[in-house]
Every structure is written in structure tokens, then in C-alpha cells.
Amino acid sequence: MDKVIPILEDVDSSHSLREKRWVVEHIDVVQPDHIAALKRMGVLVTSIPVSTIWQKGAQWLDQPDVVNHVAPWCSMMGGGLTMAAG
């Protein structure tokens, strides 16, 4: 997301993404500032938490700064993001 958000913000600055239904697919690690930026731009997200944890979970076990932000559905919903799941 650290690479994707700046690109989205650049596009949004010249062509508003609001009401255009842009989507970030298969979102996995999401920090609070990512949630705020996505909400501000009106970008939707999809998440498949079971496959994210199955495929990448072991690599994050010793990274507490990451593990608490893996597919944080409550935080994303609380932040007002429109979400879908697969």
C-alpha cells in the first residue's frame, strides 16, 4: 500500500477518483493512514483474509508491527471504507 497510495493520490489530484468505483483488490496489510487515504479518495477495497493468512501469515509472525494490520476488517469498516470479500 505504501507504493499504491501515492499513485492513487497522484491520479486523484488531477482526476478525482470519487464516485468512479476504483478498487484495490486483495488488500492485505493496511495501516491506519492507508485507510484514511483510501476513504478520502473514495477507493473501494476487496480482501480475502483466509488466503492472505494462509499464504503469507507465517512470514509475519515475528513482525508485531505488521501482524496487527493484516486484513484489519474492523478498522477498515470503522474507517468507512466500502469493502467486498471473496
Side-chain angles (χ1 to χ4, degrees):
M1 292 307 301
D2 288 334
K3 293 180 181 179
V4 173
I5 297 285
I7 294 168
L8 291 171
E9 289 174 329
D10 187 44
V11 172
D12 186 57
S13 70
S14 59
H15 304 287
S16 176
L17 300 179
R18 284 198 140 318
E19 314 270 332
K20 301 225 173 42
R21 303 194 59 79
W22 277 47
V23 180
V24 175
E25 299 265 342
H26 306 284
I27 200 165
D28 52 20
V29 177
V30 187
Q31 301 290 341
D33 58 320
H34 300 151
I35 294 169
L38 293 167
K39 172 67 177 170
R40 184 177 59 256
M41 293 181 284
V43 174
L44 311 157
V45 299
T46 70
S47 175
I48 306 174
V50 173
S51 66
T52 296
I53 293 167
W54 167 64
Q55 292 175 349
K56 301 177 184 176
Q59 72 190 29
W60 293 324
L61 287 176
D62 61 347
Q63 299 177 49
D65 57 323
V66 173
V67 77
N68 291 327
H69 301 287
V70 175
W73 279 45
C74 288
S75 296
M76 290 190 291
M77 288 187 298
L81 291 183
T82 301
M83 301 171 46

